């Protein structure tokens, strides 16, 4: 499948097509933070943040998930909580995302993954990592599935690199 949005995808609603995550090929809504990501191009500002944009959604997915894996590995090395809750707190702070947190978004995401909100997880474990990555990307995009048809290809790329 081509790494571009599948306009016939049942997940490509108007809201999804118009989202910064889709228009910027950035499924994780990765904000600019000094990373030198493969495939990154000029950033774009929206909703009070400056977001990375990518040449294609596979490279955007790769960057966003690798960012989560970096947080995952750092938390595990430091002996800190490494859960859906702690990982989301690092990438989806309360300020600016009040609706997600107050509306039980983190709890819903943990249930989707099949773990408790504060249960430790390891994104290097492909079973947990793949479910986590797809659920977080869908949450960020506002979709119930992969509007590009690239999630598995991007995850194969990430797991081939670690």
């Amino acid at each position: 499948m081509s790494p571009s949005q599948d306009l016939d995808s049942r997940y490509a609603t108007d809201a999804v097509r118009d989202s910064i995550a889709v228009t910027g090929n950035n499924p994780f809504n990765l904000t600019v933070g000094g990373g030198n990501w493969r495939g990154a191009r000029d950033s774009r500002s929206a909703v009070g943040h400056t977001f990375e944009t990518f040449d294609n959604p596979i490279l955007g997915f790769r960057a966003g998930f690798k960012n989560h894996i970096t947080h995952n590995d750092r938390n595990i090395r430091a002996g800190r909580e490494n859960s859906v809750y702690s990982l989301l707190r690092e990438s989806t702070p309360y300020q600016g995302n009040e609706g997600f947190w107050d509306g039980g978004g983190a709890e819903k995401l943990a249930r989707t993954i099949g773990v408790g909100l504060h249960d430790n997880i390891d994104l290097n474990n492909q079973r947990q990592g793949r479910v986590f990555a797809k659920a977080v990307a869908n949450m960020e995009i506002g979709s119930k599935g992969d509007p590009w048809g690239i999630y598995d290809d991007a995850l194969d790329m990430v797991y081939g690199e670690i």
Side-chain angles (χ1 to χ4, degrees):
M1 165 149 288
S2 169
S4 62
Q5 186 178 8
D6 178 1
L7 297 178
D8 295 324
S9 167
R10 62 187 170 148
Y11 305 117
T13 65
D14 287 341
V16 169
R17 277 192 287 274
D18 294 340
S19 72
I20 188 86
V22 170
T23 60
N25 292 320
N26 181 355
F28 286 87
N29 282 333
L30 188 62
T31 57
V32 172
N36 187 19
W37 298 109
R38 185 180 342 156
R41 53 184 195 207
D42 294 338
S43 59
R44 293 193 3 219
S45 293
V47 295
H49 299 285
T50 303
F51 294 95
E52 296 280 5
T53 63
F54 293 90
D55 292 333
N56 64 61
I58 290 177
L59 293 177
F61 193 103
R62 174 192 171 273
F65 187 50
K66 285 192 92 161
N67 189 57
H68 277 286
I69 289 175
T70 298
H71 293 190
N72 169 85
D73 293 348
R74 183 186 61 225
N75 291 344
I76 290 172
R77 277 192 313 275
R80 293 192 297 256
E81 178 181 346
N82 191 64
S83 63
V84 170
Y85 179 83
S86 65
L87 290 168
L88 287 177
R89 277 293 190 196
E90 291 184 68
S91 63
T92 310
Y94 181 79
Q95 186 175 0
N97 297 290
E98 294 87 352
F100 170 78
W101 288 101
D102 294 344
E107 292 85 356
K108 290 175 192 168
L109 195 100
R111 280 194 303 274
T112 299
I113 296 167
V115 299
L117 186 59
H118 294 282
D119 292 347
N120 280 326
I121 62 173
D122 183 357
L123 301 182
N124 292 295
N125 172 311
Q126 285 199 42
R127 185 185 59 77
Q128 290 182 333
R130 285 176 179 271
V131 174
F132 175 89
K134 291 174 183 181
V136 171
N138 288 341
M139 177 267 299
E140 292 287 358
I141 293 169
S143 179
K144 293 188 185 329
D146 180 354
W148 296 282
I150 56 89
Y151 286 1
D152 287 317
D153 290 340
L155 285 162
D156 290 345
M157 178 187 291
V158 170
Y159 283 113
E161 295 173 353
I162 59 174

